[in-house]
């Protein structure tokens, strides 16, 4: 107690408090000012000097006392004098001022500067695209939550938004389901095996997670696993895709087959199909989602490969279209729709008005037009909202599509052309020098040697699709709405050839002069049509035509029902399978003639890498197939290839720009 009394008498506590306050202010000012002059390293010097000086200052305060005549030894000071008492009071006021300045600066730093620094840091972390996203005002600032190696997609959130499941490759490059705590927990893999897993959906009421995965190499099935991955995944539905939990956590919607939707149940109750879905020729994936009232939002394509948003209203049993193809409404080409907890608002991904980049959109299903939630260069997909409606997660990537030429002789890949806008289904010209493909703006051609892509068709978005070449004269044929058109190779002018010819009914088109071969969908027949005479006839064998020979005497195609790759020849075009050395029909997809037509190239699924393909060739007269190349990854709707000069393989690669990340922000209209 005597020591404390002596420390007070000698004003050591006052000096200590003043020194700490002054030092803290000096350090804060140094941290703010010195970096602006490139002297950030000297901040540490200020801190070190302040720390080293603390003990000597206290020692000096013990020994010396400040008086009106200057510093004196403590034993020489008359503390009862009026002058010393007045100075002590002034020093007390100075100490109080320093402490007030320190507290004021602390409050200013905590409540003004810290939020500004955090915002600047987030903006720097997010980059230009995210700043534009925040500027759109419909979404707040976002935070990167998968800041670790790998490409991450398809997020789904736990009921409280505190955890997230997502899809990312494992160590064997197989896509699996992972779970992590937010915002910066370590990811934990909860599915394993040789078959890729995808489309996770977290139950709104517990830790069950639905996902899709093939079973023993068969078609996709619907599985359930716990969020910790402690139990073996259980198969719920043998055939199905795109599962999504209903809000009660007991039921889920999924796609049992193309253009179909069904409601399944965790307890094993027999799934119930959704009746009355409008039948359209488009092939967009439905990707359904259900709200608490039983309404189902889904994607349905009309005549183009771009899907529109529809809703099934459970109360009335009616189906209603929410967005329309073309440019009549913005935000069409919908993908991955989800409901907000209010049961009437839907968030989904769709291209922008130019159909070049994907953004997140929001629509009030009761009344209202689509409203874009994001801005900038696009690349947004896979929206997911937590069960309590507080958080929105989404994937962000800058997708990249490439045309690639692979030389089987050297095994080297060469990029012919690349674009940020999607394109698909490349077709090589008969002379092997040019590639035709289609994107959202129409049909394009580009030299196999590389160069600038040339737009060959013009008109409404997504109207011109599926180009193919005439084997005889190199003219370019394509579908335009419900008509078939021909582009003259010399004049570049287009003409309508048939006015009732749609890819949903007459597909797998092969052209030689005025002679067309195509598959009649639903009728299980292959039709040959002579445009000059108007005659039509059906082949005895049902094949999916691929290409004519240059002389028009042979038609190459893939047989159905396991009959293998077929060559149809002679006046009647009798079809015979190409057989290997054992006499078995050679099995494969998308057969293509080699440049000299002595061999047939075909595609088979890769035996080692999901999402890739093996290209094989076999002598046209039959024999032992040989592996030419492994190509990929493929964009799901663009798994075609062609054979160019030198039997170089031309194919369409889909890439996500090297990485896809998952970001999180506050959900619009959240609590």
């Amino acid at each position: 107690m005597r020591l404390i009394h002596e420390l007070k008498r000698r004003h050591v506590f006052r000096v200590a408090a003043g020194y700490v306050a002054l030092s803290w202010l000096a350090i804060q000012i140094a941290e703010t000012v010195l970096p602006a002059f490139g002297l950030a390293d000297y901040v540490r010097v200020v801190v070190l000097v302040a720390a080293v000086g603390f003990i000597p200052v206290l020692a000096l305060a013990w020994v010396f006392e400040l008086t009106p005549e200057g510093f004196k030894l403590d034993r020489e000071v008359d503390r009862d004098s009026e002058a010393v008492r007045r100075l002590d009071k002034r020093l007390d006021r100075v100490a109080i001022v320093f402490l007030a300045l320190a507290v004021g600066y602390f409050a200013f730093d905590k409540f003004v500067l810290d939020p500004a620094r955090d915002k600047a840091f987030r903006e720097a972390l997010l980059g230009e695209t995210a700043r534009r996203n925040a500027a759109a005002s419909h979404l707040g600032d976002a935070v990167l939550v998968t800041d670790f190696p790998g490409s991450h997609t398809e997020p789904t959130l736990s009921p409280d938004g505190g955890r997230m499941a997502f899809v990312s490759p494992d160590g064997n490059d197989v896509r699996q389901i992972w779970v992590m705590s937010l915002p910066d927990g370590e990811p934990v893999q909860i599915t394993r095996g040789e078959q890729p897993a995808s489309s996770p959906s977290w139950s709104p009421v517990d830790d069950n997670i639905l996902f899709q995965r093939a079973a023993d190499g068969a078609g996709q099935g619907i599985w359930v696993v716990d969020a910790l991955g402690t139990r073996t995944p259980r198969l719920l539905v043998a055939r199905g895709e795109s599962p999504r939990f209903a809000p009660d956590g007991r039921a889920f919607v999924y796609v049992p087959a193309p253009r179909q939707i069904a409601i399944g149940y965790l307890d094993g109750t027999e799934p119930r199909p959704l009746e009355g879905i409008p039948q359209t020729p488009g092939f967009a994936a439905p990707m359904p989602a259900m709200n608490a009232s039983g309404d189902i939002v889904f994607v349905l394509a009309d005549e183009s490969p771009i899907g529109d948003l529809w809703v099934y209203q459970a109360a009335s049993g009616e189906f209603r279209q929410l967005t329309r193809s073309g440019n009549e409404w913005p935000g069409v080409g919908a993908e991955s729709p989800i409901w907000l907890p209010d049961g009437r608002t839907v968030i989904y991904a769709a291209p922008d008005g130019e159909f070049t980049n994907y953004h997140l959109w929001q629509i009030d299903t009761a009344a209202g037009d689509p409203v874009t939630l994001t801005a900038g260069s696009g690349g947004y997909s896979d929206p997911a909202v937590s069960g309590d409606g507080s958080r929105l997660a989404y994937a962000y990537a800058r997708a990249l599509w490439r045309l690639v030429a692979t030389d089987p002789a050297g095994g080297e890949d060469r990029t012919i052309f690349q674009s940020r806008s999607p394109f698909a289904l490349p077709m090589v010209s008969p002379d092997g020098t040019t590639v035709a493909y289609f994107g959202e703006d129409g049909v394009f051609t580009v030299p196999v040697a590389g160069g600038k892509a040339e737009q060959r068709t013009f008109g409404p978005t997504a109207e011109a699709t599926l180009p193919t070449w005439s084997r005889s004269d190199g003219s370019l044929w394509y579908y335009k709405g419900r008509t078939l058109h021909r582009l003259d190779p010399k004049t570049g002018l287009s003409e309508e050839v048939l006015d009732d010819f749609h890819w949903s009914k007459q597909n797998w088109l092969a052209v030689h002069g005025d002679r067309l071969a195509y598959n009649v969908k639903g009728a299980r027949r292959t039709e040959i049509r002579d445009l000059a005479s108007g005659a039509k006839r059906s082949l005895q064998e049902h094949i999916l035509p691929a290409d004519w020979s240059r002389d028009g005497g042979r038609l190459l195609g893939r047989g159905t029902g396991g009959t293998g790759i077929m060559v149809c020849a002679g006046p009647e075009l009798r079809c015979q399978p190409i057989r290997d050395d054992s006499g078995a029909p050679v099995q494969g997809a998308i057969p293509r003639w080699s440049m000299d037509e002595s061999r047939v190239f075909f595609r088979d699924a890769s035996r080692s890498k999901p999402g890739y393909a093996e290209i094989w060739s076999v002598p046209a007269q039959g024999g032992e197939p040989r592996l030419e190349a492994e190509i990929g990854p493929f964009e799901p709707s663009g798994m075609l290839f062609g054979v160019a000069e030198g039997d170089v393989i031309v194919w369409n690669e889909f890439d996500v720009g090297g990485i896809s990340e998952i970001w999180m922000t506050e959900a619009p209209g959240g609590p």
Side-chain angles (χ1 to χ4, degrees):
M1 293 296 295
R2 182 171 181 174
L3 175 61
I4 294 176
H5 174 77
E6 192 65 19
L7 289 172
K8 289 180 179 180
R9 189 185 68 80
R10 295 172 181 255
H11 305 301
V12 174
F13 288 132
R14 182 177 66 189
V15 171
Y19 184 87
V20 169
L22 184 61
S23 298
W24 187 83
L25 276 175
I27 292 170
Q28 300 306 310
I29 293 172
E31 286 181 339
T32 303
V33 175
L34 293 182
F37 295 94
L39 302 175
D41 290 342
Y42 285 90
V43 174
R44 286 176 290 183
V45 175
V46 175
V47 175
L48 181 62
V49 170
V52 171
F54 184 65
I55 298 301
V57 166
L58 296 185
L60 291 173
W62 177 271
V63 175
F64 292 96
E65 180 71 23
L66 180 61
T67 69
E69 293 83 20
F71 285 100
K72 293 183 178 181
L73 291 173
D74 179 74
R75 62 176 178 271
E76 298 175 355
V77 176
D78 181 6
R79 296 187 178 277
D80 294 329
S81 69
E82 185 64 26
V84 170
R85 286 199 297 269
R86 285 199 302 268
L87 180 60
D88 283 345
K89 291 180 180 180
R90 286 198 295 269
L91 291 177
D92 286 339
R93 287 194 291 269
V94 170
I96 291 172
V97 169
F98 274 121
L99 286 173
L101 287 173
V103 171
Y105 188 89
F106 174 79
F108 181 71
D109 183 76
K110 177 69 174 178
F111 298 107
V112 178
L113 297 183
D114 263 2
R117 283 193 293 265
D118 288 346
K119 181 177 181 181
F121 175 76
R122 285 195 301 271
E123 289 183 346
L125 184 64
L126 292 171
E128 180 64 23
T129 298
R131 283 200 296 273
R132 292 176 182 175
N133 173 25
S137 77
H138 295 290
L139 289 180
D141 291 346
V143 177
L144 177 65
V145 294
T146 56
D147 188 16
F148 42 81
S151 186
H152 320 297
T153 58
E154 302 184 74
T156 180
L157 298 173
S158 63
D160 63 357
R163 289 176 293 168
M164 177 180 72
F166 60 96
V167 175
S168 187
D170 62 11
N172 297 317
D173 203 28
V174 178
R175 286 159 56 87
Q176 301 291 355
I177 310 297
W178 301 70
V179 169
M180 64 175 289
S181 296
L182 297 173
D184 53 6
E186 290 295 321
V188 176
Q189 184 179 343
I190 64 169
T191 65
R192 291 171 174 78
E194 297 180 356
Q195 297 297 330
S198 60
S199 300
S201 176
W202 201 308
S203 168
V205 298
D206 55 34
D207 281 347
N208 282 316
I209 295 175
L210 295 173
F211 66 96
Q212 72 179 49
R213 184 177 67 186
D216 299 326
Q220 295 291 308
I222 308 298
W223 302 71
V224 64
V225 66
D226 66 286
L228 298 178
T230 56
R231 297 191 300 271
T232 301
R234 177 167 57 95
L235 181 64
L236 296 175
V237 179
R239 294 289 184 272
E241 299 181 0
S242 302
R244 182 87 67 177
F245 266 113
D248 63 6
R250 183 181 68 89
F252 58 91
V253 287
Y254 69 99
V255 179
R259 303 177 186 84
Q260 295 181 19
I261 296 173
I263 302 173
Y265 302 91
L266 283 185
D267 62 8
T269 301
E270 187 70 19
R272 176 170 58 89
L274 183 63
E275 304 289 351
I277 299 175
Q279 295 303 301
T280 62
F283 52 80
M287 295 177 280
M290 180 187 290
N291 67 9
S293 300
D295 300 339
I296 298 175
V297 63
F298 62 99
V299 177
L300 188 66
D302 188 6
E303 294 184 1
S304 76
I306 295 177
D308 299 307
L309 209 61
W310 286 68
V311 64
Y312 163 74
Q313 296 173 308
S316 64
E318 296 178 348
F319 292 85
R320 184 163 55 88
Q321 188 171 356
L322 298 177
T323 61
R324 302 188 185 279
S325 295
N327 291 322
E328 181 180 347
W329 284 10
V332 301
E335 294 183 359
S336 308
I338 59 169
W339 291 97
L340 292 184
D342 64 9
R344 60 180 285 168
T345 306
V346 170
I347 295 177
Y348 61 101
D352 57 19
E354 300 298 325
F355 281 79
T356 54
N357 292 294
Y358 270 74
H359 287 276
L360 299 184
W361 297 75
Q362 177 178 301
I363 186 171
D364 186 330
T365 58
D369 291 345
V371 176
T372 183
L373 296 176
T374 55
S377 56
Y380 300 87
S381 63
D382 302 334
V385 173
S386 59
D388 62 5
S390 63
R391 295 185 176 187
L392 170 68
Y394 56 85
Y396 176 78
R398 286 293 291 138
L400 189 67
W401 281 261
R402 297 185 182 93
L403 277 178
V404 181
T406 298
D407 185 356
E412 296 180 353
D413 292 342
R414 173 176 58 86
T415 297
I416 298 172
F417 171 77
Q418 65 183 29
S419 173
R420 291 292 187 183
S421 299
F423 61 86
L425 309 182
M427 298 289 287
V428 178
S429 61
D431 63 5
T433 63
T434 307
V435 185
Y437 62 87
F438 79 97
E440 290 153 329
D441 291 326
V443 174
F444 293 76
T445 59
V446 64
V448 172
K452 185 178 180 181
E454 180 181 357
Q455 187 169 357
R456 307 302 299 273
T457 67
F458 300 88
T461 300
E463 187 178 44
T465 59
L466 300 171
T468 191
W469 300 89
S470 170
R471 191 73 169 175
S472 60
D473 60 10
S475 58
L476 190 60
W477 298 59
Y478 61 94
Y479 294 85
K480 184 177 181 181
R482 291 190 172 275
T483 61
L484 183 66
H485 283 242
R486 174 184 178 272
L487 190 70
D488 188 282
K490 296 179 180 179
T491 66
L493 299 177
S494 178
E495 62 173 339
E496 182 182 308
V497 179
L498 293 171
D499 63 0
D500 185 20
F501 202 87
H502 192 254
W503 52 263
S504 66
K505 295 181 179 178
Q506 298 97 355
N507 47 38
W508 297 96
L509 176 67
V511 182
H512 189 280
D514 288 330
R515 191 164 47 160
L516 311 181
Y518 50 87
N519 169 61
V520 181
K521 187 175 180 182
R524 293 191 58 80
R525 74 172 187 269
T526 306
E527 198 164 81
I528 307 297
R529 177 182 292 197
D530 190 319
L531 295 177
S533 65
K536 291 191 294 185
R537 65 185 178 91
S538 298
L539 297 183
Q540 289 186 353
E541 295 284 345
H542 179 216
I543 69 168
L544 302 179
D547 212 353
W548 293 94
S549 60
R550 286 191 181 86
D551 62 7
R554 293 177 295 169
L555 177 62
L556 180 65
R558 177 171 68 88
T560 59
T563 54
I565 296 174
M566 311 282 279
V567 176
C568 308
E572 298 299 320
L573 291 176
R574 301 283 185 180
C575 301
Q576 297 292 329
I578 298 177
R579 299 183 182 275
D580 60 21
D581 285 347
S582 69
V586 174
Q587 302 293 334
I590 314 176
R592 296 280 187 256
W593 296 110
S594 63
M595 288 305 296
D596 63 4
E597 298 182 357
S598 65
R599 299 183 70 83
V600 172
F601 286 69
F602 61 93
R603 191 196 78 200
D604 196 6
S606 173
R607 293 169 171 79
S608 59
K609 298 178 70 174
Y612 286 68
E614 295 174 343
I615 305 299
W616 295 72
S617 73
V618 63
Q621 304 302 319
E624 187 65 23
R626 74 179 182 216
L627 178 63
E628 300 286 355
E630 184 177 70
I631 60 176
F634 279 108
E635 198 276 330
S637 64
M639 296 186 74
L640 284 188
F641 77 95
V643 180
E645 287 182 305
D647 287 346
V648 169
I649 300 165
V650 175
W651 52 283
N652 183 192
E653 179 191 35
F654 173 74
D655 183 28
V656 293
I659 188 171
S660 175
E661 305 164 332
I662 297 176
W663 297 76
M664 180 169 290
T665 184
E666 292 182 0

